[in-house]
Amino acid sequence: MSTIVTMRSFLASSIGVAAIAALALPLAATAPVVVPAAAAEPAGSTQSLPLAPLPGANRSAGGASQEGLAVREVRPFSLVGVVWDNADDELHGSVQVRTRARAGGAWSAWQDLETHNHDHGADPGTAEAARPLHGSTAPLWVGDSDAVEARVDAEPAEEGQEAAPLPGGLRLDLVDPGADPAEQDAGGSTRAAGTPDVLPALDEAATQAEAAEAAGSDEAGLARPYVGPRPRIITRKGWGADERLRERGFVYTRSVKVAFVHHTASGNGYSCAQSASVLRSIYRFHVKSSGWRDIGYNFAVDKCGNIFEGRAGGVTKAVLGAHTLGFNTDSTGIAVLGTYNRVNPSAAALKAVEQLAAWKLGLYGVNPRGKSTLVSGGGNRYRKGRSVKFNAIAGHRDGFATDCPGARLYSRLGTARVTAAHYQGRR
C-alpha cells in the first residue's frame, strides 16, 4: 500500500500530472479518441526549393534523368530531404547534397540521402494513408547551414532501354528546427539548462503501480507479472514538439505485440546536445514534407541513450504509428537516431532500446524473447491479410524489404531480446 501512496504522491506532482495524462485511457482502447492539441509556441520552419533539369541532363520519354539545384544561399537550416508529389512513386536513383556551414563557411563533401523511404509510412487503407501524402527520401541532418547544392540522378538505363523517369514535382526541403526549449518553461521564463520535461525512471515497485493505475486497478499486485522498470523518457514538451503541427486527436490499436527497431538514416553527425533539434526536424519533415499526421515513430533513442517520446497519445498506450508500412497495428516503433549500415550503434543506445522494449512490451504481457503474430496491412514483403510471426523485438526489415535498421544495428537485436527479458525479471 505504501508503494501506491508513493505513486499517488508522484502523480500529484507537475511531472506526475503529465504522466497520468498519458494513462487516462485503458490500455485496450481501440477507437480514435479526439483530444485537443495543446497550444505551443511555433518552432522552426521549412524552405521548399523546386529542383529542375541540370544543364546537359539526358531526357527520357518521362522527363529529365537528372535534376538538381545549383549553389543557393538560403535561410539557416539544419536538416535536408528531397520530396516529390506522389507518395506511390518511388525514386529509382541517387540523391546527393552538399551544404555550407554557417560557422566558418566550409562546404561539406557530397552526401547521399537514403532514397527508399516509403517503407516508413501509414498502413494502406487507414485514414492517415488517405491524407495528401508525398514521397520523400530519408531526411539528413547536416547541422547549422546557410547554403546548399543538390543533384538527383535516375538509375542508369539498361542496354537498349531508356532510364526510368524521376518522380514529378521534385523539390528540396530545408528544415530549421527552431530554438531549443530546454532553457524556457511553459510561461516563457528562463529555467536551468539541462532540465527538460521528463518522465523520470521508476523502480520495479513504482512501475508495477503505474501499470496497475493504467489498467484501472487499485492494487499493484494485479499488474502484469513481468514489466521492466520504466526508463527515463523525455516528453514531447521536453524536446520541443510544436503540437500545432500535428493532426488533432490520437488513434489507438488494441495492443502492443511487437517492438520494431529502426534507424532514422539521418546520419551520425549530431551531438547528443543536438538530439532534440534532430527530433524536431524529423517531426517537421514527417508532417510538413511527407504529409503524415505526426512523427512516424513512437519513440526515439539517441547515441547517448536518451529516450524520447515520439508520436503523441501517451507513452503507455498502443498508439498507431507510421513506422513499419503494413505492420503499424499492434506494434510500436523505436527509432535510433543515426545511420547504422556501416557504423556500430553505441552501447548506450542499445541499452536504452533494451530497457524501453522491456518496459513497453511488459505493459502488454509480452516476453521480449518470444514471438507474436501480426496481420499484414499490405507491403512489398507480405500481402495484405497474411498472418506473420515476428520476434517480439524485430527489425524493420523483418516486415518490409528494406535496409532499415542498418546491418550493424540489426545484428544486435538477438542480444537485445535476451537482455530485455532479463530487465523484465525473466530467467
Side-chain angles (χ1 to χ4, degrees):
M1 181 60 71
S2 60
T3 299
I4 299 297
V5 171
T6 300
M7 185 64 185
R8 287 173 176 163
S9 298
F10 160 74
L11 292 171
S13 68
S14 59
I15 293 177
V17 170
I20 196 61
L23 303 175
L25 298 171
L27 288 172
T30 59
V33 179
V34 178
V35 179
E41 291 300 318
S45 63
T46 301
Q47 302 172 71
S48 194
L49 307 176
L51 303 185
L54 294 174
N58 295 325
R59 290 184 174 272
S60 66
S65 60
Q66 185 182 60
E67 295 189 18
L69 181 76
V71 171
R72 179 80 62 87
E73 293 191 353
V74 293
R75 298 192 308 275
F77 69 97
S78 295
L79 179 137
V80 58
V82 167
V83 182
W84 53 93
D85 290 342
N86 190 346
D88 293 329
D89 291 341
E90 187 169 354
L91 196 162
H92 295 283
S94 62
V95 178
Q96 292 185 312
V97 298
R98 67 186 191 109
T99 55
R100 187 180 70 188
R102 289 183 71 194
W107 280 89
S108 72
W110 285 100
Q111 300 185 78
D112 294 311
L113 274 65
E114 174 58 60
T115 59
H116 300 292
N117 193 48
H118 66 288
D119 48 335
H120 300 79
D123 288 348
T126 62
E128 186 169 4
R131 292 164 60 90
L133 305 180
H134 299 125
S136 66
T137 65
L140 178 69
W141 177 261
V142 294
D144 193 14
S145 306
D146 60 6
V148 64
E149 184 178 9
R151 59 193 185 197
V152 180
D153 291 283
E155 285 182 354
E158 295 184 9
E159 186 175 352
Q161 297 182 357
E162 290 187 333
L166 294 171
L170 285 171
R171 54 197 179 275
L172 190 70
D173 275 12
L174 308 174
V175 179
D176 169 21
D180 195 310
E183 295 184 1
Q184 289 192 330
D185 62 19
S189 59
T190 301
R191 69 180 181 186
T195 57
D197 290 87
V198 301
L199 299 176
L202 299 180
D203 61 19
E204 184 177 355
T207 300
Q208 289 287 356
E210 178 192 58
E213 292 276 354
S217 168
D218 287 332
E219 296 296 333
L222 298 180
R224 299 285 187 182
Y226 296 105
V227 181
R230 188 185 74 189
R232 176 181 182 271
I233 301 172
I234 299 173
T235 67
R236 287 172 62 90
K237 182 179 180 182
W239 56 262
D242 183 346
E243 300 298 355
R244 292 184 291 190
L245 287 181
R246 66 172 175 85
E247 182 180 280
R248 287 178 175 268
F250 315 123
V251 181
Y252 301 98
T253 61
R254 290 183 179 276
S255 185
V256 175
K257 299 178 180 180
V258 176
F260 283 108
V261 178
H262 303 258
H263 68 174
T264 57
S266 52
N268 303 308
Y270 69 93
S271 69
C272 292
Q274 295 173 318
S275 297
S277 295
V278 175
L279 200 56
R280 289 197 304 279
S281 299
I282 293 174
Y283 170 43
R284 174 172 282 275
F285 188 80
H286 282 183
V287 175
K288 304 299 287 186
S289 299
S290 297
W292 302 350
R293 66 186 305 272
D294 194 350
I295 191 170
Y297 310 114
N298 298 102
F299 298 94
V301 172
D302 71 13
K303 57 190 175 185
C304 288
N306 295 304
I307 299 171
F308 300 85
E309 176 186 11
R311 179 162 288 208
V315 294
T316 66
K317 302 296 190 297
V319 178
L320 179 67
H323 49 83
T324 305
L325 194 150
F327 294 102
N328 291 303
T329 297
D330 293 342
S331 70
T332 194
I334 302 172
V336 182
L337 299 180
T339 305
Y340 298 100
N341 295 316
R342 299 180 180 86
V343 175
N344 290 325
S346 69
L350 290 171
K351 181 178 180 181
V353 168
E354 293 159 356
Q355 292 178 323
L356 176 60
W359 169 73
K360 183 71 176 185
L361 292 173
L363 291 175
Y364 293 83
V366 177
N367 183 344
R369 282 196 309 238
K371 295 182 182 293
S372 297
T373 299
L374 301 178
V375 178
S376 174
N380 70 354
R381 186 162 184 174
Y382 299 105
R383 60 174 174 76
K384 185 174 183 177
R386 179 173 172 180
S387 294
V388 183
K389 185 172 288 188
F390 291 100
N391 288 310
I393 298 178
H396 185 181
R397 64 176 63 185
D398 295 325
F400 200 96
T402 175
D403 288 338
C404 185
R408 298 292 184 91
L409 177 53
Y410 185 77
S411 67
R412 303 302 197 276
L413 297 186
T415 300
R417 295 177 195 115
V418 174
T419 305
H422 288 166
Y423 281 126
Q424 286 188 351
R426 300 178 190 267
R427 294 294 181 262

